Amino acid sequence: MAWRTERGKQTVGLVAAASAALALTACSPGGSDDGDAGNREAKYRRVIEDPHPHPADVIEAAGAPTGVARADDGSLLLTYEAGNVEDDEGPAAMAWRIVGPDGRTVAEYAEHTDAEAARAAFKGVRGGFVRVPPGEGAGGTYALDPHGKRHRVVTAETPVRTRPGDTLLAELEPTLVYRPATRAVAPPAGVPDSAIRLAVDERGTVWSLDQPLTEDPDRVVWQRDGRTLGSTTVPKPYTGGILAARGGTAALSLVRGEGVRGVLVTTDGGGQWQTVLGGGLPWRDLKRGPEWLVMDLLADGRLLVGEEGGRYWLADDRTNSAFRELKTPAKFTSFTVDGTTLYGIADATTATYDLVAGEGLWISRDGGREWRRFE
């Protein structure tokens, strides 16, 4: 039920199929590369019904990745999904492709699945990538090195004290961190039972949003090595939303009623906090609700805020007191930050035979001033 290829084992047909996929991604949004929408529909149906789909065929059918992860050596792992267009049930196909720092395909994999299966997702870590658990518990988790070789991940039930390099793999129910040095996943020690949001930075600090069962306000608590380092109260009349943490900076979105109205930020590891309610961020223009918010931190401490399928803003500097709106080359349905690189994906929000305007992966290395389409 799977097809896998690695560098040195690819055929001429694979190269041709991959080239066709790139040409298709670059075509106009109205249909396939030959202008025959019906032909594209037929190809798409064949791919999702194929019990042994070829990776390049799944990638061509999908048109754009569903996710992107970056390893520490600069390799990218792109995931792709092609699902049943007529219904949320039925056949589907998934694939992943690892692209080396030089832009060449290193390994790829595809399998037949169904439209109700959990979407495949990976996180970039030191030494490669790790599969995010597709359901409750750590079942289905494994690691891939930059060459696409699969490695077993050990699951531990005993909580561990987080250390530098640990990656938050699953936020809640269960909460799991991944340790690249041992290829092991385990719950982090010391997380309060009242925690409803979590973030783990590269120093191994665990930041949690705690929501008490009493009338007391929400609190942000940060811990390291199993010890609580400090806490701060979420200012009234707000409740906490999304947490992000990196490089001594931590940020919490502030929710009031049905909308996000600001952000609580520290840039010195929790020593001082500021409430940002303006700074060029038109919070009331975010119409889709807190669940659609995108918030992440660049490695230099700058905060990125936006809304899935909408607009995005980036802080001018690590003080995170003033923001500018990003000009994007297409309407991004997802946005990812790694280091100081921005990754935007333009795709349809539901399975479709045709492509949308600008469909594909876009990359910016200068804070969103210039974008290039990944090919």
Side-chain angles (χ1 to χ4, degrees):
M1 301 267 306
W3 183 304
R4 174 175 177 160
T5 59
E6 298 181 17
R7 176 181 288 174
K9 300 179 182 179
Q10 298 178 2
T11 64
V12 175
L14 171 59
V15 176
S19 300
L22 295 178
L24 180 61
T25 304
C27 75
S28 65
S32 65
D33 51 344
D34 61 4
D36 186 352
N39 186 44
R40 176 168 172 79
E41 178 178 341
K43 291 179 180 178
Y44 190 101
R45 287 177 175 273
R46 284 198 297 270
V47 168
I48 66 173
E49 293 171 359
D50 189 344
H52 308 288
H54 192 290
D57 292 337
V58 178
I59 292 169
E60 178 182 355
T66 56
V68 55
R70 185 178 184 272
D72 60 335
D73 73 338
S75 299
L76 295 181
L77 187 150
L78 310 177
T79 50
Y80 297 84
E81 302 278 348
N84 192 8
V85 173
E86 285 79 12
D87 199 349
D88 58 1
E89 300 178 349
M94 67 77 64
W96 55 253
R97 171 178 283 172
I98 295 177
V99 180
D102 59 359
R104 298 182 181 182
T105 296
V106 175
E108 52 189 10
Y109 168 88
E111 68 181 31
H112 178 75
T113 179
D114 63 79
E116 296 180 289
R119 174 172 285 186
F122 292 83
K123 287 194 175 183
V125 295
R126 187 175 70 250
F129 312 90
V130 60
R131 168 78 185 267
V132 176
E136 295 184 1
T141 300
Y142 56 87
L144 292 170
D145 64 26
H147 303 289
K149 183 178 180 181
R150 184 165 169 166
H151 299 270
R152 178 174 174 265
V153 168
V154 178
T155 302
E157 296 183 359
T158 303
V160 297
R161 295 182 177 183
T162 52
R163 63 176 64 165
D166 288 352
T167 299
L168 182 64
L169 195 59
E171 187 175 1
L172 292 173
E173 297 182 358
T175 300
L176 295 171
V177 293
Y178 174 76
R179 183 161 294 170
T182 57
R183 292 200 180 105
V185 295
V191 176
D193 293 337
S194 56
I196 60 171
R197 291 283 187 177
L198 285 173
V200 178
D201 65 22
E202 76 283 1
R203 300 176 182 179
T205 306
V206 179
W207 302 78
S208 63
L209 171 63
D210 296 354
Q211 189 177 74
L213 298 177
T214 64
E215 295 299 320
D216 293 336
D218 293 354
R219 298 183 65 83
V220 177
V221 179
W222 54 102
Q223 304 164 305
R224 189 183 303 146
D225 198 28
R227 297 181 298 106
T228 298
L229 303 178
S231 67
T232 190
T233 300
V234 176
K236 293 183 177 181
Y238 306 103
T239 57
I242 294 176
L243 258 178
R246 186 168 293 139
T249 297
L252 173 75
S253 63
L254 299 175
V255 179
R256 185 176 184 182
E258 299 298 321
V260 179
R261 294 294 177 260
V263 62
L264 183 66
V265 181
T266 179
T267 59
D268 60 359
Q272 299 290 329
W273 293 81
Q274 63 173 330
T275 301
V276 179
L277 303 179
L281 278 166
W283 296 105
R284 295 189 180 277
D285 288 352
L286 303 180
K287 304 294 187 181
R288 306 187 71 181
E291 66 273 16
W292 297 94
L293 184 71
V294 175
M295 193 175 78
D296 209 339
L297 284 161
L298 277 66
D300 56 15
R302 286 180 294 165
L303 182 65
L304 180 136
V305 176
E307 194 171 49
E308 288 185 20
R311 300 157 65 189
Y312 298 88
W313 293 264
L314 181 64
D316 292 336
D317 53 49
R318 74 182 312 272
T319 65
N320 293 305
S321 57
F323 293 75
R324 62 177 173 86
E325 185 172 359
L326 300 182
K327 294 182 178 179
T328 60
K331 185 176 181 180
F332 292 155
T333 48
S334 68
F335 209 110
T336 303
V337 174
D338 190 286
T340 56
T341 303
L342 309 179
Y343 299 93
I345 294 174
D347 197 6
T349 55
T350 58
T352 176
Y353 299 124
D354 296 326
L355 305 178
V356 300
E359 181 155 339
L361 173 65
W362 295 82
I363 300 175
S364 175
R365 303 186 188 279
D366 61 358
R369 290 180 172 84
E370 292 186 4
W371 295 87
R372 69 174 181 87
R373 179 181 271 170
F374 178 81
E375 294 184 2

